[in-house]
Amino acid sequence: NKFAMVKRDLRPKPLFDEASLHSFFVDNDVKPVHMSKIWKHITENPGCPLDQIPGIPEKIRVPLKEEFVACTSTLVRTYESQIDGTVKMLIQLQDGGEIEAVLIHHSGLAEDPEQRQADRCGQRDTLCISSQVGCRLGCTFCATGTMGLQGNLWAGEIQEQLLHARSIRPVSNIVFMGMGEPLDNFSNVTSAIRGLVDPHRFGMAPSGITVSTVGIVGNMRRLMDDMPKIKLAVSLHAPTQDLREKILPVAKTYRMDELLQVIDEYAQKTTSDGKRKGMVMISYVLLEDVNDSLECAQQLCDLLAGKPVIVNLIPFNSYEGDPHNYRTPSAERVDAFLRVLVEADIRVFERRHHGRDISAACGQLAKLGGKGPVADIENCTCTLAKDRARGLAQARRSNRSNGQLSTVLRGPNLMSVGLVTAACTAVALLAWRR
């Protein structure tokens, strides 16, 4: 099986790994009801030795301490953005592997002069977490894919990323948009989600968790059936099957027509889910002269017409060692692409970047580390694309005489070749969910 789970052995085991702890209880002939008691006590008293947890059977105290540990991973280093407080975390796993997670800080400020989107810009922190060490899918624009798949994270290790993040600041939302393809590690990701929403463990709201996928359609359907309240995001990145196969090799296995059918099924299952009613976030990385033409924009409009989607445009984030030598589109090309979607009544967001000075970038999580500040090609405001497009039209009219195209609503108007946040897609998701 191309997507078979990659096994990693951990000793001691993660306490928050439900399957492991349940097996331990069965082996020791102890009722699983004590599992919740253990988790609740440790989350409230993280420094408590496992053999001193009150109210558990005496016979498991010593073996519990010998076989498990509250946290198997170590927060090795943090990089905090001097721009907005976003934090990139380098986490070392028990077996020496390393992953990255990003704690994205939202100031709560809407920079639109009329505060048009202020209701979508509440102050909060979103955790972008990893599900694998590396990734096997080889998306051509992604640094993580260059690592190959070194192993799947255990459910307990996935939850430990929240433990590390909470040691820095409270977390409001979680997005599976870090290293790895979440639905390629289905059993551990879904087990982790159950732990994240469990009131005895982390008590996150199911509607505050989003899983992003390149489109493993069978597991998308399983996720919809097993966890209907979890939000879904799809990495599309191309408007046609042929082009998508060139950018995402996995598209040869999971074809676009199947993917769009699952999106429709998701909408039907979640039509009563709040004001967004089944909306799916579509991520689209813009690669200069590859998928950013006006023709591609029109093809995308035709593909998504009438579908319950919101498109998040992400100009490519360059990274060291990119074998394809992709380039970031100019701001003018991004704006032109966006305008085509807006004029076709496709909902589209460009979101504020976070941590652009610490290389916490979408598609860049591969233990690259920060290399100094760069400017920002995408919109630096909490602005709906239609509002921005309206401003762009006014700017074009005012600058027609000298042939200049000004961008508007860009904060300090900084342009670059690109670092967006590790969850620029995630930031957009927060807006349409609220």
Side-chain angles (χ1 to χ4, degrees):
N1 183 354
K2 181 179 180 181
F3 298 103
M5 181 178 296
V6 176
K7 296 286 187 181
R8 295 170 49 247
D9 185 44
L10 301 180
R11 297 179 186 277
K13 299 174 182 176
L15 184 70
F16 289 98
D17 195 87
E18 183 171 354
S20 299
L21 190 60
H22 186 271
S23 295
F24 170 81
F25 271 64
V26 171
D27 292 343
N28 285 275
D29 195 25
V30 175
K31 294 180 178 180
V33 67
H34 294 286
M35 293 168 60
S36 295
K37 186 182 302 181
I38 290 172
W39 289 326
K40 182 175 177 60
H41 186 79
I42 292 300
T43 53
E44 294 175 351
N45 306 273
C48 179
L50 299 190
D51 60 349
Q52 295 181 24
I53 297 174
I56 63 174
E58 289 297 322
K59 69 177 183 178
I60 67 168
R61 291 187 180 277
V62 172
L64 181 68
K65 184 176 181 179
E66 291 175 346
E67 294 187 32
F68 290 87
V69 65
C71 190
T72 61
S73 57
T74 304
L75 182 58
V76 176
R77 182 179 298 179
T78 60
Y79 305 86
E80 182 167 358
S81 169
Q82 299 304 305
I83 297 173
D84 56 30
T86 287
V87 176
K88 182 171 68 173
M89 299 180 292
L90 176 62
I91 298 170
Q92 187 173 62
L93 307 175
Q94 185 189 96
D95 58 6
E98 291 182 328
I99 58 172
E100 288 185 338
V102 180
L103 185 57
I104 308 157
H105 182 64
H106 312 266
S107 68
L109 301 177
E111 295 179 15
D112 187 299
E114 299 178 13
Q115 297 292 293
R116 201 183 304 268
Q117 301 298 317
D119 62 325
R120 293 186 172 96
C121 300
Q123 184 170 350
R124 61 205 179 275
D125 286 271
T126 297
L127 178 61
C128 177
I129 62 180
S130 296
S131 56
Q132 297 178 305
V133 188
C135 182
R136 78 167 88 229
L137 301 188
C139 299
T140 59
F141 57 83
C142 182
T144 306
T146 64
M147 298 171 60
L149 180 59
Q150 300 176 16
N152 284 337
L153 294 182
W154 288 36
E157 293 176 303
I158 294 172
Q159 294 169 77
E160 287 174 10
Q161 294 173 68
L162 179 56
L163 279 178
H164 293 307
R166 282 184 170 179
S167 71
I168 299 171
R169 61 173 74 110
V171 173
S172 304
N173 302 278
I174 293 177
V175 291
F176 282 79
M177 297 179 182
M179 297 170 66
E181 161 57 50
L183 298 189
D184 187 19
N185 188 15
F186 186 86
S187 61
N188 282 314
V189 166
T190 51
S191 178
I193 292 173
R194 285 192 291 270
L196 295 172
V197 302
D198 181 1
H200 295 104
R201 280 178 271 182
F202 299 101
M204 301 292 296
S207 60
I209 297 177
T210 299
V211 175
S212 178
T213 177
V214 296
I216 301 178
V217 294
N219 284 345
M220 289 174 68
R221 290 190 171 102
R222 290 174 64 192
L223 183 71
M224 288 157 45
D225 290 339
D226 296 350
M227 299 183 165
K229 293 185 178 181
I230 300 302
K231 302 297 182 182
L232 182 66
V234 174
S235 297
L236 190 65
H237 307 310
T240 67
Q241 177 66 28
D242 289 344
L243 182 55
R244 193 167 191 259
E245 289 182 9
K246 295 176 182 177
I247 299 174
L248 285 77
V250 72
K252 297 176 183 178
T253 302
Y254 301 104
R255 296 183 61 81
M256 188 175 288
D257 54 350
E258 296 179 283
L259 185 56
L260 294 175
Q261 182 178 344
V262 176
I263 290 174
D264 289 339
E265 292 172 10
Y266 175 86
Q268 294 171 4
K269 286 177 177 288
T270 57
T271 52
S272 61
D273 183 18
K275 63 182 180 180
R276 296 303 176 185
K277 295 188 182 301
M279 285 288 184
V280 174
M281 174 61 65
I282 300 294
S283 302
Y284 193 103
V285 169
L286 288 166
L287 306 166
E288 186 178 73
D289 295 329
V290 177
N291 66 351
D292 68 335
S293 68
L294 296 183
E295 180 184 9
C296 284
Q298 186 57 56
Q299 290 172 332
L300 185 62
C301 292
D302 296 340
L303 183 72
L304 300 179
K307 294 193 177 296
V309 299
I310 300 178
V311 177
N312 182 39
L313 296 180
I314 310 168
F316 171 66
N317 308 301
S318 59
Y319 63 90
E320 185 178 346
D322 170 22
H324 301 279
N325 296 314
Y326 285 138
R327 298 184 304 275
T328 305
S330 68
E332 288 78 11
R333 287 179 72 93
V334 174
D335 292 338
F337 195 100
L338 180 145
R339 285 196 299 272
V340 173
L341 271 62
V342 169
E343 290 168 1
D345 286 328
I346 301 292
R347 290 182 64 93
V348 94
F349 274 90
E350 281 197 318
R351 300 300 300 173
R352 181 196 305 251
H353 301 324
H354 301 259
R356 62 185 182 268
D357 57 332
I358 56 172
S359 298
C362 180
Q364 289 187 319
L365 295 189
K367 301 181 293 179
L368 300 180
K371 297 182 182 299
V374 297
D376 182 8
I377 193 171
E378 235 187 279
N379 181 20
C380 291
T381 67
C382 194
T383 307
L384 189 62
K386 282 191 176 181
D387 297 328
R388 181 173 163 224
R390 186 182 300 111
L392 285 167
Q394 294 170 353
R396 288 198 305 276
R397 287 193 296 270
S398 65
N399 288 293
R400 191 171 294 159
S401 60
N402 60 11
Q404 295 177 346
L405 175 65
S406 303
T407 57
V408 297
L409 301 179
R410 288 188 181 273
N413 238 1
L414 297 175
M415 303 297 171
S416 83
V417 292
L419 296 179
V420 226
T421 75
C424 48
T425 305
V427 183
L429 279 159
L430 294 171
W432 60 267
R433 229 187 11 230
R434 291 175 63 84

